[in-house]
Amino acid sequence: MTRLSVNINKVATLRNARGENAPDIVEFALAAERAGAQGITVHPRPDERHITRADVYELRRVITTEFNIEGYPSPEFLKLVLEVKPEQVTLVPDAPDAITSSAGWDVIGRQDFLAPIVERLHSAGIRTSIFVDPDPAQVKEAARIGADRVELYTKPYADMFPLDPDKAVEAYIPAAKAAVDSGIGLNAGHDLNTHNLNFLYRRLPRLDEVSIGHALISDCLYWGLDETVRKYLKCLMPHQ
């Protein structure tokens, strides 16, 4: 089964626009779980422009599914996740001022930096995923340095999908096979939505988890949270 993790960063962005606590991200996370989401993802950034450190601690207390924290492994980020101990940490190569993730790690070139971090997280009992482009060599290197999973960066897939779905997914198939052959798990995320998710799911049958934020939160404005989660879960079924 491919699990759906709802990224709630955009809910925090809306809340922060007024400097108050509406919408309440803790209540939203709990409502997403009740609707059927199998995980909650956050990406706290140094400037706290959406998810704050305080949010992370509050969410840890109440999430009953799976908590996934994404971020660049700065000393401050590592201190946070080692205190909170989520089920999964996803390491991303974003600069502090990045609007959103825009590329995967060069794991081959940064192995000396990433390997000790993976080991440190493992020592704390935290599953570790490395955000990568759909490149089998990078996937294999992530496995070699001890990552439990990789998360494939799917924006190139999403951009190409309306023009040529088969071409869009082409690079992802060998990358996914490299993960399976290396004995590690496979996640995916970025710009996935109800139009392109099922096709990716059917082409990558060993997909463990998708993390979806912007499109899913936007869809809630039209359909409501329960119906939106239901639609995304339906996309993670084989015969759609």
Side-chain angles (χ1 to χ4, degrees):
M1 181 183 72
T2 304
R3 299 166 68 89
L4 172 66
S5 186
V6 175
N7 186 317
I8 61 173
N9 279 12
K10 287 298 187 296
V11 181
T13 300
L14 180 59
R15 175 202 61 187
N16 293 354
R18 288 290 295 269
E20 298 174 351
N21 195 40
D24 185 319
I25 66 157
V26 171
E27 290 302 318
F28 188 93
L30 293 174
E33 288 185 322
R34 289 194 298 270
Q38 295 117 338
I40 300 295
T41 292
V42 297
H43 188 150
R45 294 182 183 274
D47 60 6
E48 296 193 324
R49 64 179 178 268
H50 35 63
I51 293 293
T52 68
R53 291 175 62 86
D55 292 333
V56 174
Y57 289 106
E58 287 189 45
L59 288 163
R60 172 71 290 182
R61 288 190 301 103
V62 300
I63 289 173
T64 59
T65 53
E66 179 178 289
F67 197 19
N68 172 46
I69 304 180
E70 302 177 341
Y72 179 83
S74 66
E76 296 76 17
F77 177 83
L78 291 173
K79 180 177 184 295
L80 176 65
V81 297
L82 289 168
E83 289 176 353
V84 172
K85 290 186 169 61
E87 284 73 26
Q88 178 174 268
V89 165
T90 301
L91 303 177
V92 299
D94 294 0
D97 60 348
I99 295 174
T100 187
S101 301
S102 58
W105 284 97
D106 174 12
V107 187
I108 296 169
R110 301 298 304 280
Q111 58 177 294
D112 291 342
F113 173 70
L114 290 168
I117 292 169
V118 171
E119 176 57 33
R120 191 175 174 190
L121 293 170
H122 279 171
S123 296
I126 301 170
R127 184 172 75 233
T128 306
S129 178
I130 297 180
F131 194 65
V132 297
D133 296 319
D135 179 343
Q138 299 291 350
V139 172
K140 291 175 184 177
E141 185 63 14
R144 192 191 70 79
I145 66 170
D148 301 288
R149 294 185 183 181
V150 291
E151 179 175 331
L152 299 180
Y153 173 53
T154 50
K155 180 172 174 54
Y157 163 77
D159 288 346
M160 176 61 68
F161 180 83
L163 303 175
D164 189 336
D166 289 315
K167 185 173 179 59
V169 81
E170 190 174 54
Y172 291 82
I173 296 172
K177 184 177 185 301
V180 173
D181 291 347
S182 298
I184 62 173
L186 181 68
N187 298 343
H190 207 94
D191 283 3
L192 297 175
N193 57 42
T194 55
H195 302 292
N196 59 37
L197 179 56
N198 182 254
F199 187 84
L200 182 75
Y201 163 78
R202 287 187 285 110
R203 293 302 184 94
L204 306 182
R206 298 289 292 274
L207 191 59
D208 290 296
E209 176 187 290
V210 291
S211 174
I212 305 177
H214 184 84
L216 189 151
I217 301 304
S218 298
D219 287 337
C220 288
L221 299 175
Y222 306 104
W223 300 327
L225 177 58
D226 286 4
E227 180 66 8
T228 298
V229 171
R230 187 192 69 78
K231 286 178 180 286
Y232 276 86
L233 290 172
K234 189 176 180 181
C235 291
L236 298 174
M237 296 179 182
H239 303 297
Q240 296 303 314

